[in-house]
Amino acid sequence: MLRLALQGMRTRWVTFIGSFIALALGVGLIATTGLALAATFAAPDRGPERFAKAPVVVQTSALIRARTPIGERTQRIPHPDPVPAAVSAKLAALGPVVEDRTFPVSGPGLSEDTVGHPWSVAALTPYRLTSGRAPSAPGEAVATADGPPAGTTLRAATGTGTGTGTGTGTGTEQVTIVGTVASAGFESALFFTDAEAARISPAIDAVAVTAPADRVRAAVGGGFDVLTGDDRRRADPDPDRDKEALVSVNALLGTAAGVTGFVSVFVVASTFSFAVAQRRREFGLLRTAGATPAQVRRMVFTEAFVIGVLASAAGCRLGATGAPRLAAWMVDAEIAPPWFRIGEQTWPLHTAFWTGLFVALAGVVVSSWRAGRVGPTEALRESAVDSRAMPLSRWLIGSAVLATGLGLLALALADNPGDLLKRKTYITQPMLLIVGFAVFAPVLIRPLTRLLTWLPARLPGALAMLARENASAGVRRTAAVAAPVVITVALAASLMGTTATISAAKATEAREQITADYIATAGGNGRALPAEFVQRARAVPGVPGVHISPTRSSAVVVMEEGTALVSSEAKAVDPAAHAAVSHLPVVAGRFTDLDDDGIVVNEEWLTTKVGSRVSVWLGDGREVSLRIVAVLSTGTGSNGVYLTPRNAPNAPVDRVDIAFSPGTDPATAAAALHSAAQATGVRLLTGDQWIQAHYPRSDKNTRLGLWMILGIALVYTGIALANTLMMATSDRARDLAALRLTGATKAQVLRLVAAEALLVVAAGTILGTLVAGVNLLGVWSALGLLDASSAVVIPWTTIAAVTATTALLATTASILPASLTLRTRPIEQVLC
């Protein structure tokens, strides 16, 4: 049987090469994304950075610890309390101490994330002077190498911006750079004298002490972290940034692996099934010669096994070569952190290999079973025309898959519409619908092709009529060619349309909520805004009245169902001031009832009854019981929790919304605000400008990630489309020769082949657009249920570009093999 299978493979090498290419590329994609995904499971081991030379570091505990029936749960808090001066004094009795203070610094020539430190803490990194000298007087500073050079004088805004007494908010000062240090790579910093840093920010963030760790623990007691060894990294700025960076990369690659795995498996199974269906005449001859159904099936499985082993091995080699290149591209595109590399894991290669082999064998199960069941005469009679496009098993499978896809969509709309707005959901949601429509392609293709050719077939000439009849007669071939088109168009339209629709809904929601004339931020995410700007904004000259609402970004942690600590973003505002600059979607209670004993939640919370009390941990780790005073609609997910400033201690002001009262001269007020913003290094935008800057565009990583996922799928399905068409066209040598013998010229035959390819692409595009339309309708319905209605954004440009590309590929992949076939004399093709 193996010898017979190998002889058949040598004779029909075009068909088997096509199957080999499809499978090798599919396994290669699975291996590539699998290796990249495996590299995200562990962050690199890094030692301490800012306090690498500090023996012991003490800071207030930044973790919430809660006991649950399934063990202790922890959650990091954003704004722990500073180290009390009394504790620092105790530590000073044990040995030399260095007090660290960190505060934002902004100004011309400084990066958005520049921070200030006392000079004494520089030796703990260690930072070494590369030019100039150490600061010795107020107004002097040393900069890291990525900052301004020595000798530069600039106006810098300093201060924590908390406005709570923990920082003086000294405002704008003239700073002279008297020296520089080599950059450590994890921060841009200015180092002031210790006395100047203490004046700017009296709060002590951490204390480095030279003393035995056990004596330090005994001195500080509970509520503090005493860090030694590698644990000192927890005192570094953003110590979890490596893990957090991998979380987003893991989510992206996990989604990419799912999409590419789905596309690969589907296309490979379709290609193998089509390759078997092409050989019905050969099977009929074998049955006539005395082969039993079992022998036919064993031969087909043997061929699939041989191709599966060879192609899967080749695909693993492609994956091992392609994974480092994918990782390098992600680093260059800033999707992944600079240190991201492919590890030494081999399990993705094993997974890809056995997946490829399984798909190869599974792809021929139904077709080989059907080929073995028919009798010799029936097989020869059916070899020319597909009289029955779909067996009962395919009807049942297609119905089950389509019903499951539509059922899950309906269930999500009924139970939790917000899930449909999440990236993993709206990327993977269309897959079942794509499979369902593609399984029914043999049934749907015939009426579609007849509809598309209805008018052209009535025009003079036989081209459209022949294209229609050929597509209808070879419906399995047509469906196999249309499958990659359906996947390509459906994925492209669904991904781009869904993200555009959700972004448009977010923009609409923001326009409805923001009524401020201007919005001021410090640039960075959660970066403190200088207190001087708020003071100057409140004193805008010549204005009858101005509403100013400073916002502090914090977080609250709640225990859900007694087992999980869940963190939610929170904004601390003055309710009356914020109500004057915004219009929040309150569905229960009153926002202005917010006080120090209250909290505003959204509909996603487990408890949403106004007047009920909820136990939460605040941003500094304190556990309090707060009364729900209002509930906001869920919307697109941006409506979070609101507190009063008293319940967000240590959180800096990072945004200020400003609205002018009636009678205010807009030009005068705007000029004063812009002057204050320029003097303090604040970014000031009008409400419309702020919305345009943040909406409807998604962030860079999301856009690049989607294009990466879509690009991988499009490239593969494009190659699969060309591969399948070449297989199909090369198998029609006798049909093309018969056309030549009836008087058709070579040019007419090639035009017919091209017309058939374009007809299949058009039918596949319609099916793919229909799948995308169902998915977009689900997203639109979810937005409506969440009170975030928005028009559906149909990505016509993307659909047109994908359709044009597939049409070009299909035409080229059809004409080239047909041209080669037409070089042989027609009579030789018919008699062979």
Side-chain angles (χ1 to χ4, degrees), residues 121-155:
V121 82
L124 301 180
T125 300
Y127 284 103
R128 306 296 187 196
L129 281 170
T130 55
S131 66
R133 59 176 177 82
S136 59
E140 295 182 347
V142 169
T144 49
D146 53 355
T152 303
T153 299
L154 52 89
R155 300 289 296 179

Side-chain angles (χ1 to χ4, degrees), residues 430-588:
M431 292 183 184
L432 285 174
L433 298 178
I434 292 173
V435 173
F437 276 85
V439 169
F440 280 107
V443 175
L444 300 174
I445 283 294
R446 182 172 291 173
L448 274 177
T449 54
R450 290 191 173 277
L451 177 64
L452 291 171
T453 56
W454 179 80
L455 180 60
R458 282 160 174 73
L459 299 177
L463 181 65
M465 184 270 292
L466 286 174
R468 179 190 65 193
E469 296 306 321
N470 284 336
S472 299
V475 68
R476 288 194 183 92
R477 177 186 69 239
T478 306
V481 174
V485 181
V486 174
I487 294 176
T488 303
V489 174
L491 276 179
S494 294
L495 290 183
M496 297 298 104
T498 300
T499 53
T501 300
I502 293 175
S503 295
K506 288 180 178 289
T508 301
E509 186 177 60
R511 289 189 183 95
E512 293 174 350
Q513 294 185 17
I514 296 175
T515 61
D517 295 294
Y518 283 92
I519 297 176
T521 62
N525 183 24
R527 185 172 171 81
L529 190 144
E532 182 186 359
F533 173 80
V534 180
Q535 298 168 0
R536 294 182 62 165
R538 294 187 186 280
V540 172
V543 177
V546 59
H547 300 286
I548 294 181
S549 176
T551 299
R552 295 167 168 82
S553 294
S554 186
V556 296
V557 178
V558 63
M559 176 73 73
E560 288 194 354
E561 299 179 347
T563 58
L565 289 176
V566 178
S567 178
S568 300
E569 293 183 359
K571 297 178 181 179
V573 298
D574 176 87
H578 199 68
V581 298
S582 65
H583 178 70
L584 297 178
V586 178
V587 295

Side-chain angles (χ1 to χ4, degrees), residues 286-536:
L286 288 173
R287 295 282 285 117
T288 303
T292 66
Q295 288 175 321
V296 172
R297 294 187 192 107
R298 283 200 300 271
M299 183 186 71
V300 172
F301 271 97
T302 302
E303 292 169 348
F305 179 80
V306 173
I307 294 175
V309 170
L310 296 177
S312 296
C316 288
R317 180 60 184 172
L318 286 175
T321 304
R325 289 172 171 78
L326 174 63
W329 177 83
M330 294 181 69
V331 170
D332 291 341
E334 298 181 352
I335 297 176
W339 45 262
F340 182 65
R341 297 291 185 276
I342 301 299
E344 298 181 356
Q345 299 90 341
T346 59
W347 64 263
L349 298 177
H350 292 283
T351 302
F353 179 88
W354 292 109
T355 298
L357 183 58
F358 173 78
V359 171
L361 296 176
V364 300
V365 168
V366 177
S367 298
S368 63
W369 184 263
R370 190 182 184 203
R373 285 182 58 190
V374 298
T377 305
E378 185 182 357
L380 290 172
R381 183 172 65 247
E382 287 193 353
S383 60
V385 179
D386 294 327
S387 60
R388 186 183 178 193
M390 283 181 55
L392 178 61
S393 60
R394 186 159 181 164
W395 278 98
L396 295 176
I397 293 173
S399 299
V401 172
L402 196 57
T404 302
L406 294 174
L408 290 176
L409 181 61
L411 182 63
L413 289 174
D415 184 50
N416 190 0
D419 280 348
L420 294 177
L421 307 186
K422 297 176 181 178
R423 185 171 64 179
K424 282 188 176 182
T425 302
Y426 68 67
I427 289 178
T428 57
Q429 179 72 35
M431 292 183 184
L432 285 174
L433 298 178
I434 292 173
V435 173
F437 276 85
V439 169
F440 280 107
V443 175
L444 300 174
I445 283 294
R446 182 172 291 173
L448 274 177
T449 54
R450 290 191 173 277
L451 177 64
L452 291 171
T453 56
W454 179 80
L455 180 60
R458 282 160 174 73
L459 299 177
L463 181 65
M465 184 270 292
L466 286 174
R468 179 190 65 193
E469 296 306 321
N470 284 336
S472 299
V475 68
R476 288 194 183 92
R477 177 186 69 239
T478 306
V481 174
V485 181
V486 174
I487 294 176
T488 303
V489 174
L491 276 179
S494 294
L495 290 183
M496 297 298 104
T498 300
T499 53
T501 300
I502 293 175
S503 295
K506 288 180 178 289
T508 301
E509 186 177 60
R511 289 189 183 95
E512 293 174 350
Q513 294 185 17
I514 296 175
T515 61
D517 295 294
Y518 283 92
I519 297 176
T521 62
N525 183 24
R527 185 172 171 81
L529 190 144
E532 182 186 359
F533 173 80
V534 180
Q535 298 168 0
R536 294 182 62 165

